[in-house]
Amino acid sequence: MARLDSDGDVLLAGPAVRAAAHAGEVVLLCGHAGAQAAGLLPGVSRVVRWDCPWITSPAPEVRAPEIEALVTLLKGVRADVALILTSFHQSPLPLALVLRLAGVPRIVARSTDYPGSLLDVRLREDLDVPEAERALEVARAAGFELPPGDDGRLAVEPPPEPAEVGPYVVVHPGASVPARAWSPDRCAQAVTALAGAGHRVLVTGGPGETALTAHVAGAHGVDLGGRTTFAELAGLLARADAAVVGNTGPAHLAAAVGTPVVSLFAPVVPAARWAPHGPHVLLGDQDAPCKDSRARNCPVPGHPCLNQVTPDRVVAAVAELVGVRT
């Protein structure tokens, strides 16, 4: 099975992974940006890391020796079937060619373009299907079904117990794509408002986001920027009353551990496909001019789709979600 982009995308492949694992061993091919999530997915027997030059951004060069090495590696896997999971704007066909060269006898994927002999089962696009269900449909097209009692929700292996004691709300201000992030000042105001409403607020972020988390936490939040691994973040989110986060990996991680999400969602991609796959309140103008633009940087001055959201609205959304878990 292959999902070549980031941690959030890999988490959304979880139900498809479990369906395939119900029938046999699953080797997951992913990029280094998705490897942390891959290591948490139930049903994954082995993770193979490879940064794909036609999906990764910024993209590495395509080098013949590296493609040849990948073909050799995949030959060693000796897969009976390959499921290529992609977003709607990505083509599965370059990887399908590599898998063919590696001798994989059966390949299943969605493809807008005519695949010729590269795919054995080709699914057409359905733009209204949530991403996790879209991936699961690929697994089902290959003949795999979820095991009895599996409800198809996102899931991860049990995370470590956090050092922080609840109750608390997690605010995660960063995002892998700038256009999907609420402004730092708005996030900081929300932390102050949440604290004023009686919540203990933990502010999380990666090692490269410590200046951001320090600013957002200010005097009213607990700054945990750069202090958690991905697995530790899962544990922290699992004990939270709610998570306040944009359309980025930790939103899907929160859903995977059953925590409701206040989703600050910029409409550069459709919420129908990418909103958290679990209880959530969606905030942000979904009809803003940037709708469906896939912009990485906001094309509209002032980032109005998210910056019109007020801290008080976030406090109200958290109040709606406290106690709502999966």
Side-chain angles (χ1 to χ4, degrees):
M1 183 175 292
R3 181 78 215 208
L4 295 173
D5 22 28
S6 63
D7 284 320
D9 304 296
V10 171
L11 288 171
L12 290 167
V17 168
R18 299 197 305 273
H22 186 51
E25 181 181 5
V26 173
V27 176
L28 182 59
L29 177 66
C30 68
H32 283 79
Q36 295 181 102
L40 295 181
L41 288 183
V44 173
S45 302
R46 177 185 171 194
V47 177
V48 175
R49 297 168 181 82
W50 176 65
D51 289 328
C52 174
W54 51 87
I55 288 181
T56 305
S57 179
E61 291 185 25
V62 178
R63 300 180 184 274
E66 294 176 5
I67 298 297
E68 291 163 2
L70 178 63
V71 169
T72 300
L73 186 153
L74 293 174
K75 282 181 179 178
V77 171
R78 302 179 65 86
D80 298 310
V81 59
L83 311 182
I84 305 176
L85 307 180
T86 53
S87 296
F88 74 97
H89 60 280
Q90 299 166 343
S91 172
L93 300 185
L95 181 58
L97 175 60
V98 172
L99 290 162
R100 280 288 186 239
L101 295 175
V104 178
R106 190 162 182 257
I107 305 173
V108 183
R110 290 185 183 273
S111 181
T112 299
D113 299 321
Y114 171 64
S117 59
L118 293 179
L119 299 179
D120 297 285
V121 180
R122 173 197 184 189
L123 285 78
R124 302 283 185 166
E125 285 297 347
D126 185 342
L127 299 183
D128 293 327
V129 176
E131 195 71 9
E133 295 176 18
R134 185 172 173 273
L136 183 57
E137 287 179 357
V138 174
R140 286 175 167 150
F144 302 123
E145 287 290 344
L146 289 166
D150 190 323
D151 60 8
R153 295 182 183 274
L154 302 191
V156 293
E157 295 290 354
E161 290 286 337
E164 300 291 335
V165 177
Y168 54 79
V169 170
V170 170
V171 173
H172 189 92
S176 56
V177 175
R180 302 179 192 175
W182 207 21
S183 73
D185 287 345
R186 281 292 201 194
C187 286
Q189 292 163 12
V191 169
T192 300
L194 286 165
H199 297 285
R200 184 164 180 256
V201 184
L202 310 184
V203 181
T204 59
E209 297 175 321
T210 53
L212 171 63
T213 59
H215 173 74
V216 170
H220 301 283
V222 178
D223 179 13
L224 297 180
R227 301 181 191 178
T228 61
T229 65
F230 198 70
E232 289 168 341
L233 178 58
L236 201 67
L237 288 166
R239 306 304 184 272
D241 286 337
V244 180
V245 58
N247 177 23
T248 191
H252 304 303
L253 188 58
V257 296
T259 296
V261 178
V262 177
S263 176
L264 292 152
F265 200 99
V268 291
V269 294
R273 297 185 67 166
W274 294 100
H277 200 61
H280 67 276
V281 172
L282 195 73
L283 300 182
D285 180 4
Q286 299 307 300
D287 294 312
C290 63
K291 181 178 180 179
D292 296 336
S293 66
R294 291 181 47 223
R296 295 186 64 85
N297 292 289
C298 181
V300 183
H303 203 19
C305 68
L306 289 185
N307 282 345
Q308 70 172 2
V309 178
T310 65
D312 286 347
R313 181 67 188 96
V314 170
V315 172
V318 167
E320 288 179 49
L321 291 173
V322 171
V324 178
R325 303 189 66 87
T326 57

